[in-house]
Amino acid sequence: MSERFTAPPQRDSWFAPLSVDLIVKVFKTTFFHPFVAWIIPLCFRAQNMFWDAPPMLVSIAWASFITLCWMAGVINNRLAFGLPREVDLSEEVIVITGGASGLGLLIAEVYGMRGATVAVLDIKEMENGEARGVTYYKCDVTDKDQVARAAADIERELGTPTVLINNAAIVHGKRLLDMDISEIEKSLATNLISHFYTLKTFLPAMARSEVGGTIVTVSSVIGQVGAAQLTDYAAAKAGISAMHKSLAAELRETHPQIRTVLVTPGQLSTPLFYGVQTPNAFIAPVVEPVDVAKEIISAIDHGHNAAIGMPLYARWVDWYNVLPLGIQAVARRIVGIDAAMKNFVGRNGARHSEKNGGVIQAF
């Protein structure tokens, strides 16, 4: 279920596993959880503490505040994303672009083992050969004719697609002045234009269906902050994020039975960014594809509209653009985001490392 590659070199230290995300996760399951918060006043009461005792009043006030925040979060999600659609995996036909490796392959294998019908579109062969419940279609998603032929084959062999996961991506990792026009065109075609091809091909059938469907767009936090040596990639990811939000607005008005999921991860531990040095492992830890896959699968399974950002900073990165430009510049130098790509070698470097025997397991 995994792809073999050498992990990107990171700054080793005794506190490497510690991150803001881990701290927040611990607090969310303890002091910031309504159930745990109410346990405290109940324990005080079990000790025969009076209701008007200061510790009791403080604990009740805290538990009430946490409960109200939790309820506000539930209401916010309902207002933002609406009601879920019913999902029956035995009836779902899931199409994943770029599903031959990395995050796409992981999602494909999970759904294949769970009984869903999965079609993978990719220009390269699947890393692990054939996977249970997964059908591979060789397809260059930058070619609209190939996408149309693959769609016709899927419709005939598997059924009408109900879930589309636009995951295909490439990274050149070069400075703009070092890139050929052909490389820029290839990057934009794969990372941006292909989304329009697949949506125009698969979305009409979902729109006609009474059960609806789900559109998943895998973008990147780079589309919001940019980074040196990623001009083409950042432009494409910013484009698909804007495209997704506009599409979601259209579908809410015309086809409310179709759900949309926007995924905006930080650096993923996949060969796509092999060699990238994490700018700040505490604030911006490398995200494991298995964690992103869990969130995507959960959103699809429950029929939710969703906006998934991982790690924590990816959910708050919009505030970065509100800061004064001087502070933004200082922040970029502190975290080292524009130096992260200096050691980038990409998938070819991962394959070279595998041939030389330096491999680990990673999703």
Side-chain angles (χ1 to χ4, degrees):
M1 184 184 295
S2 59
E3 192 174 42
R4 297 174 66 84
F5 68 96
T6 302
Q10 304 299 331
R11 300 179 180 91
D12 294 327
S13 64
W14 66 269
F15 58 85
L18 185 64
S19 68
V20 170
D21 288 70
L22 178 61
I23 295 173
V24 170
K25 185 176 182 179
V26 170
F27 275 98
K28 285 181 68 175
T29 55
T30 54
F31 298 108
F32 295 157
H33 194 286
F35 178 80
V36 176
W38 282 108
I39 287 292
I40 298 174
L42 290 176
C43 288
F44 284 154
R45 186 57 187 162
Q47 296 175 348
N48 294 320
M49 183 177 291
F50 293 114
W51 290 106
D52 58 352
M56 179 67 80
L57 294 175
V58 171
S59 63
I60 290 176
W62 173 254
S64 299
F65 173 72
I66 293 299
T67 302
L68 289 173
C69 290
W70 180 82
M71 293 175 62
V74 172
I75 294 171
N76 176 67
N77 286 335
R78 179 56 55 86
L79 291 174
F81 302 125
L83 294 172
R85 77 177 181 96
E86 292 186 8
V87 175
D88 181 356
L89 286 185
S90 64
E91 301 295 327
E92 301 291 321
V93 177
I94 302 170
V95 177
I96 306 175
T97 68
S101 62
L103 176 63
L105 176 60
L106 177 58
I107 297 173
E109 289 181 325
V110 169
Y111 271 122
M113 290 188 294
R114 293 177 60 199
T117 302
V118 181
V120 164
L121 306 185
D122 209 311
I123 196 171
K124 62 177 184 175
E125 298 292 330
M126 293 182 64
E127 293 285 347
N128 64 344
E130 295 185 359
R132 173 182 161 189
V134 179
T135 305
Y136 167 76
Y137 295 88
K138 187 176 181 62
C139 176
D140 182 354
V141 293
T142 67
D143 185 332
K144 58 180 178 295
D145 294 328
Q146 290 191 38
V147 173
R149 286 196 294 270
D153 292 340
I154 293 170
E155 182 81 28
R156 183 178 63 256
E157 299 170 8
L158 305 180
T160 303
T162 56
V163 177
L164 171 62
I165 303 176
N166 275 319
N167 171 71
I170 61 171
V171 178
H172 291 301
K174 297 181 179 180
R175 298 184 184 280
L176 180 62
L177 293 177
D178 298 328
M179 295 180 68
D180 298 328
I181 292 298
S182 61
E183 291 177 319
I184 296 173
E185 291 174 341
K186 180 65 174 177
S187 178
L188 294 178
T190 304
N191 297 324
L192 175 60
I193 303 300
S194 68
H195 288 244
F196 287 90
Y197 291 163
T198 56
L199 286 168
K200 287 290 290 181
T201 301
F202 293 104
L203 187 54
M206 292 186 198
R208 293 191 298 268
S209 172
E210 294 182 357
V211 298
T214 300
I215 301 293
V216 180
T217 302
V218 181
S219 184
S220 171
V221 71
I222 291 297
Q224 294 165 276
V225 299
Q229 295 181 235
L230 288 171
T231 53
D232 55 316
Y233 185 80
K237 290 302 183 179
I240 63 172
S241 292
M243 178 273 294
H244 180 96
K245 294 173 183 177
S246 296
L247 175 64
E250 294 176 1
L251 294 175
R252 278 196 298 269
E253 296 294 326
T254 59
H255 300 90
Q257 75 276 21
I258 299 178
R259 301 293 176 262
T260 56
V261 179
L262 177 62
V263 187
T264 311
Q267 181 186 339
L268 287 175
S269 179
T270 67
L272 190 66
F273 280 98
Y274 174 75
V276 174
Q277 180 70 57
T278 305
N280 190 309
F282 180 76
I283 298 175
V286 176
V287 181
E288 292 297 330
V290 66
D291 295 324
V292 180
K294 285 179 182 178
E295 295 294 324
I296 295 174
I297 291 169
S298 176
I300 295 173
D301 285 355
H302 293 95
H304 287 159
N305 289 303
I308 299 170
M310 301 179 69
L312 179 67
Y313 82 90
R315 297 195 288 274
W316 295 93
V317 74
D318 284 338
W319 289 98
Y320 166 81
N321 293 315
V322 178
L323 297 173
L325 295 178
I327 295 179
Q328 290 186 33
V330 171
R332 296 182 77 90
R333 284 196 291 270
I334 291 175
V335 301
I337 186 173
D338 294 316
M341 292 289 290
K342 287 185 176 180
N343 296 319
F344 170 79
V345 291
R347 291 185 184 277
N348 291 333
R351 295 192 185 99
H352 175 75
S353 198
E354 183 173 350
K355 290 178 182 178
N356 286 280
V359 297
I360 64 170
Q361 293 290 334
F363 290 101

